[in-house]
Amino acid sequence: MLSERALFIINVSLGLFSVLLVLMLLAIKFPTLGQAQYALDKEEPVCVIQWGDEATPFTDVDRCCLQARQQFECRAQSKDNLDWVCGADEGLQIWLNNKAYNYCKQQPYW
Amino acid sequence: MKKKRGYEVQKKLFFALVVIVLLLSILNIAKAKGLLIPKQGPVDVKHKVVDLQKLTLDQKVAQMVVVVGTKENYWPWRNMQLGGIHLFARQTEHIFNNTIIDFQFQTPIPFFVTADLEGCVSPFGFIRQFTPASEVDTIEEAFEKGVEEGQFLHKLGFNLNFAPVVDLKDDIWKCRSFPGDETKISELAQAYLTGLQTQEVLGTAKHYPGKTLIVKDPHKYVVAAEIGKKDVYPYAYLVEKGEVKAIMVSHIITSGEVDSEGVPSVVSKKVLDDLRAHFDGLIVSDEIHMLGLKKFYRSVDEVYIAVFKAGNDVVLNFDKDPNEIYRMIQIVKGAVERGEIPEAQIDASVTRILEVKGFTVR
């Protein structure tokens, strides 16, 4: 049997949890750990489009994210300071560094 | 005695809080799945005839929206009676096909089922490779490419492809534009569209008014470009030939031959009105979650209103949160009710959409 003190602590926790659930229901959003991590990362987002042997930096990270999202998968793979590759093994590939990939993951379509 | 009473109070409070947490959790899950979004009333369709007056404003605005088709959002998208679903990559043709069949099952007004199959840019890379537009050199090859991609898409259940790209220059992807000058690109695009549309898949010329595939200043989110006569030549050519049924408008701020008057083209009434003056097909917005567009407004609500107000018939919003899509519909509906967006304009867009879907509108 729980002590009164333990029950009090559980009730306070449940009360706080209820408040959080109400806020969620009202669509009040809190910054996530991932967003904080992204904000603290001072690296520039980099996106590179690779078609055949040609690799072209693409500065429109939003469009880069959208095209990357349309691919079947993005997998962790390192190459020239880039950390992720999206696309099939052959054909067009979209390369992202961690900063760009984390940015993409925050987009509403990801 | 007092201690025992205190314990009893804590115990009762505990059970009350457990019930509250459970109820709130259920509500949150239901909300996240879009189950709290009200279901639209039935659509009266008889012999492929739709009475526009019988559609509610919610239903009309919803018809103008294309979202991402995911299994998780199956019910909310159907309940909202949205205009279309756009599919990202899947592992097999079978999965694509099943997803589309599920979505289209017993819908009074079928969804547009859209994809970005351009050749090198494709959600089907895991399944099959297609000829990149940059490697197409003759009219015959362009037509064949259209037929091949159309057959593939039609077999899976797609009915609208966001291709071909008719930008004259592709400095970034190196494979998305047809080769040659504006005349050759226009002829190749026409042949491609003819081939694609023989397979009952509509094509979309993009990205109006051009210059979207050039390297941009990395420090600017809002991008501007000077548009020349050559850039818009493919659109004029395809419209004149009557081959193009949809045109996608970009977020670039333009001057010169097409002047967006300092705002992104996709929200420029002037750009869209000028295009509409010669083109009676579908005007499709580029996806609206781009900083080039979002940074231009103080809130996403303003983006929603601006993109509809400008005169886009089909608006691409790939937000996967069904509540946000519902909110967009309500915001646009509010703008129509306030007279900020003319209802006649919404009616005209919905009529175009329904006619393209094969309905007679009265």
Side-chain angles (χ1 to χ4, degrees):
Chain A
M1 192 145 157
L2 289 168
S3 68
E4 188 182 342
R5 189 178 166 77
L7 208 50
F8 174 76
I9 292 168
I10 292 170
N11 283 344
V12 169
S13 308
L14 283 172
L16 287 173
F17 192 48
S18 305
V19 171
L20 277 176
L21 287 171
V22 169
L23 292 175
M24 270 176 71
L25 206 56
L26 298 174
I28 295 166
K29 286 173 185 158
F30 300 99
T32 61
L33 195 64
Q35 282 168 325
Q37 194 188 1
Y38 175 79
L40 290 172
D41 185 354
K42 296 296 171 207
E43 206 182 347
E44 279 292 311
V46 178
C47 167
V48 172
I49 308 299
Q50 185 170 351
W51 173 247
D53 295 332
E54 275 191 275
T56 313
F58 187 21
T59 54
D60 188 342
V61 180
D62 276 283
R63 190 154 295 283
C64 176
C65 289
L66 186 59
Q67 290 298 346
R69 179 65 189 90
Q70 300 208 38
Q71 305 305 312
F72 180 65
E73 62 177 1
C74 291
R75 53 192 186 279
Q77 198 171 316
S78 289
K79 181 184 139 180
D80 302 335
N81 295 325
L82 296 162
D83 311 286
W84 296 86
V85 61
C86 307
D89 288 336
E90 53 174 326
L92 188 96
Q93 289 186 324
I94 300 167
W95 289 84
L96 305 161
N97 68 352
N98 275 326
K99 178 83 171 180
Y101 182 70
N102 288 331
Y103 174 79
C104 290
K105 285 208 299 186
Q106 290 173 33
Q107 300 312 302
Y109 47 78
W110 199 274
Chain B
M1 180 71 179
K2 200 177 170 187
K3 203 173 175 188
K4 198 179 172 192
R5 217 175 120 200
Y7 187 81
E8 283 304 311
V9 169
Q10 289 291 344
K11 218 166 113 179
K12 280 180 185 166
L13 188 62
F14 171 77
F15 286 116
L17 282 167
V18 166
V19 171
I20 289 169
V21 165
L22 271 175
L23 281 175
L24 285 170
S25 301
I26 291 166
L27 277 173
N28 269 294
I29 292 167
K31 189 188 170 201
K33 291 190 171 291
L35 301 177
L36 302 184
I37 296 169
K39 189 179 176 179
Q40 295 295 318
V43 182
D44 186 22
V45 181
K46 283 192 187 110
H47 311 295
K48 289 275 221 179
V49 177
V50 179
D51 187 346
L52 205 58
Q53 302 311 313
K54 286 187 179 169
L55 293 182
T56 63
L57 194 48
D58 283 84
Q59 286 172 319
K60 289 181 201 172
V61 176
Q63 268 304 308
M64 296 171 68
V65 181
V66 170
V67 293
V68 175
T70 55
K71 284 263 182 190
E72 298 77 44
N73 287 337
Y74 175 77
W75 285 111
W77 295 162
R78 280 177 65 100
N79 288 346
M80 279 191 264
Q81 296 169 4
L82 297 176
I85 49 166
H86 183 82
L87 297 191
F88 292 162
R90 278 159 172 72
Q91 202 161 11
T92 64
E93 291 183 32
H94 184 71
I95 298 172
F96 270 111
N97 193 226
N98 272 7
T99 306
I100 295 169
I101 289 169
D102 284 350
F103 268 103
Q104 299 288 37
F105 181 66
Q106 288 187 342
T107 46
I109 301 173
F111 288 97
F112 278 134
V113 185
T114 72
D116 265 330
L117 173 54
E118 299 171 11
C120 60
V121 167
S122 155
F124 309 106
F126 207 72
I127 300 167
R128 182 169 160 183
Q129 294 292 323
F130 292 90
T131 312
S134 58
E135 289 175 17
V136 172
D137 198 44
T138 65
I139 302 285
E140 291 73 27
E141 285 171 5
F143 178 78
E144 275 309 310
K145 176 176 162 65
V147 171
E148 186 193 354
E149 292 179 5
Q151 271 173 351
F152 179 79
L153 290 170
H154 182 68
K155 188 178 76 179
L156 298 186
F158 289 88
N159 49 32
L160 179 59
N161 190 20
F162 296 139
V165 171
V166 293
D167 283 45
L168 303 184
K169 209 171 172 206
D170 174 9
D171 286 344
I172 298 163
W173 305 78
K174 317 274 186 183
C175 58
R176 294 175 70 182
S177 287
F178 290 114
D181 62 6
E182 70 277 14
T183 312
K184 187 174 176 186
I185 287 171
S186 304
E187 288 167 358
L188 293 174
Q190 188 202 352
Y192 172 82
L193 281 168
T194 308
L196 185 78
Q197 287 169 176
T198 57
Q199 304 304 310
E200 296 173 46
V201 177
L202 291 183
T204 310
K206 66 183 186 185
H207 314 79
Y208 187 81
K211 288 213 167 102
T212 56
L213 307 180
I214 53 174
V215 177
K216 297 167 186 173
D217 181 337
H219 302 295
K220 283 180 190 164
Y221 287 115
V222 179
V223 180
E226 169 103 18
I227 300 296
K229 275 193 175 158
K230 288 180 179 179
D231 292 307
V232 284
Y233 177 83
Y235 298 97
Y237 179 89
L238 293 171
V239 169
E240 193 198 318
K241 297 285 175 190
E243 202 67 69
V244 66
K245 308 290 183 223
I247 290 176
M248 185 183 283
V249 183
S250 80
H251 300 328
I252 289 186
I253 298 170
T254 58
S255 56
E257 194 63 22
V258 175
D259 187 356
S260 67
E261 298 180 320
V263 300
S265 298
V266 74
V267 289
S268 165
K269 186 106 183 90
K270 184 178 178 298
V271 168
L272 269 66
D273 280 351
D274 289 351
L275 177 60
R276 176 62 69 210
H278 310 283
F279 175 61
D280 61 358
L282 295 176
I283 297 180
V284 182
S285 84
D286 207 339
E287 210 285 326
I288 61 172
H289 289 285
M290 300 280 151
L291 282 183
L293 182 59
K294 285 209 289 196
K295 284 254 168 182
F296 211 80
Y297 292 95
R298 279 171 301 177
S299 71
V300 72
D301 295 13
E302 287 183 18
V303 176
Y304 294 157
I305 293 174
V307 83
F308 279 82
K309 194 175 173 180
N312 291 284
D313 298 311
V314 175
V315 172
L316 307 190
N317 183 345
F318 293 167
D319 196 321
K320 61 184 181 193
D321 178 3
N323 299 293
E324 186 58 24
I325 299 295
Y326 179 70
R327 205 176 70 79
M328 176 177 82
I329 293 169
Q330 297 313 304
I331 285 165
V332 174
K333 181 184 163 188
V336 176
E337 285 169 347
R338 289 194 304 275
E340 207 177 324
I341 302 171
E343 188 161 359
Q345 182 186 312
I346 300 289
D347 284 351
S349 291
V350 176
T351 301
R352 277 183 216 109
I353 290 165
L354 293 175
E355 284 176 352
V356 167
K357 288 183 176 180
F359 292 93
T360 302
V361 181
R362 61 163 199 223

